[in-house]
Amino acid sequence: MTSGMFELLGFGPQGWGLPLLKAAGVTIAAALCGFLLGSIFGIGGATLKLARPRALRLIGQAYTTVFRGVPEILVVYLFYFGGSVILTTLMNTGGFPGFYSLPSFVIGVLAIGIVSGAYQTEAYRSAYLRLDRGQIEAGTACGMSKLLLLRRIVAPQTLRFALPALGNIWQSALKETSLLSVIGLTELLRQAGTAAGSTRQPLLFYAIAAAVFLVIGRATGAGLNRMESHLAKPWRR
Amino acid sequence: MASASRPAAADNASTVPAIAVDGLHKRYGAIEVLKGIDFRAHEGEVISILGASGSGKSTFLRCLNLLELPSAGRLQIFGEQVDLRQSGDALHIGNRRQVDRLRTQVAMVFQNFCLWSHMTVLENLMEAPIHVQRRGRGEVREEAEAMLRRVGLIDRAKAYPAQLSGGQQQRAAIARALVMKPRGLLFDEPTSALDPELVGEVLKVMRDLAAEGRTMLIVTHEMAFARDVSSRIVFLEQGRIKAEGLPLDLFRGGVNERFDQFISRFNQA
């Protein structure tokens, strides 16, 4: 069994090592792209929710309510099937018959980005609300333009306050990538499933997938903690 | 004593005023906080603005660098007319660049210090000169260190604001204002947030600045300081200037009944 296990997990022609490693790469890539896209949605969402016009605030509110309230797997399905329906209709009316769909990686990143963005909206919004108005005023009184204030005072401090929450959201985004197995993306869970099926060793391969998720999560988490304590330094007495 | 060594307002009366305000009004909805203020400050004057809380003195000071937008009135800074445009019931900034430039010439010190907490003391001092005034880093650094030496904080240059006492933070904030080489300084209750034992160190720095002949407008509750250091007192009550004059005259009493009442309330407390 032991020698067989090494062979199964090795990088030889019979081994699942390389496919699993590739799949882990896909998982990291999908999580990272999704999270980064989410930070764009998040900053946008927070800007909407903090805006003065009521209509903008309502749009921001609707965004976070919907995408935090709907199960993530449903969002994935909606994007997958909805995306191809829209794309096919557009292409067909444009004179290109047939069936079209976006690559599942793109769909996956979009789905994770929009859900993660809804949570990040709250992280950025509450961080912004914690800013000391006096410090912003001090910048204004020094002749800083709005853009300079944003770049030099508001953004660094907001990021600092948002970072603990962003760390948690990153961990969720990482785990959510496993949902993308349902739309055929060969990420870690799906690859482990394939290996489990063809070798009839489900326990082994799912345990390995779990371990890899843990390792990625802990490693990135440690990095984020380091960054957090570095950025928190000025606030320590 | 300090006031005797200061140039009297009359000496500068012929020159262009550092700050000139005409018919300044400020309304918040139905409440009128400033009800028509006419005011001149000449270069080198140290003017203490006194008044009970709610008299509008902080609002007045904040209108001078447009942290508050006046509802009506005209404002001139060092002879330059500030471009304020009427729209509806309020004034708006006509030229942001002009305002940003003038703000570096009339620097402000706040009650709560308002140092930027993610930057060291030295970085706080260098921020506006480098990014707003676009001066060279080397020159700004030298200037900033000189200012820190001056306010006795050079050994805390690398500290963050949270690691300083209130008095140290306020001295750093004054140094931050000075590094911009402003022509005038606005102080908005600079000692009101300090523990009593820390007030002295901040007042000492301000006393030194006044003795240099800097143009200073100070909203304060430190009556002894106002009496000894100012070249002029402006007394606000209910949004109007009720009394104005040399500190010795006003504090002697008998010039203005309302001011005397205000001072006696202070002395009882």
Side-chain angles (χ1 to χ4, degrees):
Chain A
M1 158 86 193
T2 344
S3 66
M5 196 172 106
F6 277 122
E7 202 156 297
L8 279 179
L9 298 178
F11 290 88
Q14 303 297 311
W16 288 90
L18 195 60
L20 282 173
L21 205 61
K22 275 187 183 161
V26 171
T27 290
I28 293 173
L32 200 62
C33 293
F35 185 79
L36 291 179
L37 182 67
S39 55
I40 295 171
F41 286 131
I43 291 167
T47 310
L48 287 176
K49 277 189 122 172
L50 291 164
R52 209 163 291 166
R54 198 176 129 81
L56 295 184
R57 275 181 290 150
L58 283 176
I59 294 171
Q61 184 66 50
Y63 168 54
T64 53
T65 307
V66 168
F67 287 99
R68 292 194 307 166
V70 171
E72 277 125 35
I73 193 150
L74 240 162
V75 176
V76 173
Y77 278 133
L78 279 172
F79 273 56
Y80 184 65
F81 294 111
S84 59
V85 165
I86 291 169
L87 195 64
T88 304
T89 315
L90 278 178
M91 292 302 269
N92 291 356
T93 48
F96 300 93
F99 177 79
Y100 297 88
S101 67
L102 283 168
S104 50
F105 184 80
V106 174
I107 297 283
V109 165
L110 275 175
I112 287 177
I114 209 146
V115 172
S116 181
Y119 288 95
Q120 290 189 45
T121 295
E122 292 308 321
Y124 284 117
R125 192 185 76 97
S126 55
Y128 180 85
L129 291 175
R130 276 181 59 195
L131 295 182
D132 172 11
R133 319 311 302 173
Q135 292 184 33
I136 297 174
E137 201 163 63
T140 309
C142 285
M144 290 191 180
S145 65
K146 282 233 162 90
L147 198 67
L148 191 62
L149 263 177
L150 182 71
R151 189 160 66 81
R152 301 289 308 173
I153 314 289
V154 174
Q157 292 200 16
T158 304
L159 183 65
R160 148 72 184 89
F161 292 141
L163 207 54
L166 291 178
N168 292 334
I169 296 169
W170 159 252
Q171 299 290 344
S172 315
L174 180 64
K175 289 192 284 179
E176 275 157 32
T177 56
S178 62
L179 299 175
L180 304 183
S181 58
V182 302
I183 55 169
L185 185 69
T186 315
E187 48 64 68
L188 202 47
L189 181 65
R190 190 178 175 90
Q191 189 61 268
T194 311
S198 69
T199 60
R200 301 184 190 205
Q201 297 263 16
L203 187 60
L204 175 67
F205 281 100
Y206 286 128
I208 283 167
V212 174
F213 266 112
L214 263 176
V215 167
I216 299 171
R218 293 305 297 258
T220 51
L224 282 167
N225 282 343
R226 250 240 290 316
M227 193 166 145
E228 199 181 308
S229 83
H230 174 74
L231 287 181
K233 207 174 108 200
W235 277 265
R236 277 198 294 270
R237 280 165 197 276
Chain B
M1 177 207 103
S3 59
S5 66
R6 307 206 35 72
D11 294 351
N12 293 322
S14 57
T15 60
V16 179
I19 295 171
V21 173
D22 291 293
L24 188 74
H25 288 257
K26 175 66 185 178
R27 275 181 294 272
Y28 294 103
I31 303 158
E32 191 164 34
V33 183
L34 298 176
K35 300 170 183 165
I37 291 195
D38 302 305
F39 172 82
R40 296 280 179 282
H42 293 278
E43 208 138 15
E45 272 195 296
V46 176
I47 300 173
S48 289
I49 301 165
L50 308 181
S53 56
S55 59
K57 54 194 193 307
S58 274
T59 306
F60 171 57
L61 197 74
R62 291 164 57 82
C63 280
L64 298 181
N65 66 355
L66 300 171
L67 285 183
E68 300 286 350
L69 274 172
S71 310
R74 288 158 60 83
L75 174 62
Q76 253 185 38
I77 307 285
F78 296 106
E80 194 176 331
Q81 185 69 45
V82 179
D83 185 0
L84 291 172
R85 298 194 186 152
Q86 189 84 37
S87 70
D89 195 26
L91 292 178
H92 288 281
I93 291 171
N95 181 345
R96 290 218 160 264
R97 282 209 168 149
Q98 180 200 32
V99 169
D100 286 343
R101 181 166 46 77
L102 290 176
R103 278 171 174 159
T104 66
Q105 291 181 26
V106 186
M108 184 134 180
V109 174
F110 295 87
Q111 181 176 352
N112 295 312
F113 334 128
C114 301
L115 294 169
W116 299 304
S117 44
H118 62 302
M119 297 180 190
T120 64
V121 169
L122 187 64
E123 286 166 350
N124 263 278
L125 265 63
M126 294 171 64
E127 180 67 20
I130 288 178
H131 290 99
V132 178
Q133 298 178 310
R134 303 195 168 281
R135 284 152 57 187
R137 184 169 280 273
E139 175 249 330
V140 168
R141 196 188 174 96
E142 268 171 37
E143 179 86 16
E145 285 172 347
M147 283 305 161
L148 284 179
R149 226 167 266 126
R150 200 187 152 154
V151 300
L153 283 174
I154 190 67
D155 55 326
R156 308 309 316 269
K158 296 235 160 67
Y160 288 99
Q163 297 157 343
L164 303 183
S165 74
Q168 289 174 326
Q169 287 189 55
Q170 194 59 300
R171 282 186 282 146
I174 293 173
R176 173 175 70 179
L178 291 174
V179 183
M180 293 198 294
K181 298 184 176 169
R183 295 175 71 183
L185 287 163
L186 308 177
F187 292 86
D188 189 6
E189 303 201 26
T191 58
S192 299
L194 294 175
D195 292 335
E197 75 272 20
L198 302 177
V199 169
E201 61 188 75
V202 171
L203 290 185
K204 182 182 176 306
V205 170
M206 291 172 61
R207 234 173 249 272
D208 293 346
L209 291 174
E212 278 178 6
R214 300 229 181 212
T215 310
M216 296 162 68
L217 268 64
I218 309 162
V219 169
T220 185
H221 292 293
E222 296 289 332
M223 291 304 147
F225 178 83
R227 190 188 55 214
D228 298 341
V229 178
S230 325
S231 52
R232 184 151 51 109
I233 302 280
V234 169
F235 173 60
L236 257 69
E237 195 177 62
Q238 294 180 345
R240 288 197 175 88
I241 295 181
K242 279 286 161 64
E244 197 173 355
L246 296 173
L248 289 177
D249 292 343
L250 277 174
F251 277 94
R252 199 186 301 126
V255 176
N256 182 287
E257 197 186 327
R258 305 294 302 166
F259 185 75
D260 294 348
Q261 282 171 8
F262 169 70
I263 291 298
S264 69
R265 269 204 307 278
F266 240 91
N267 291 339
Q268 282 159 18

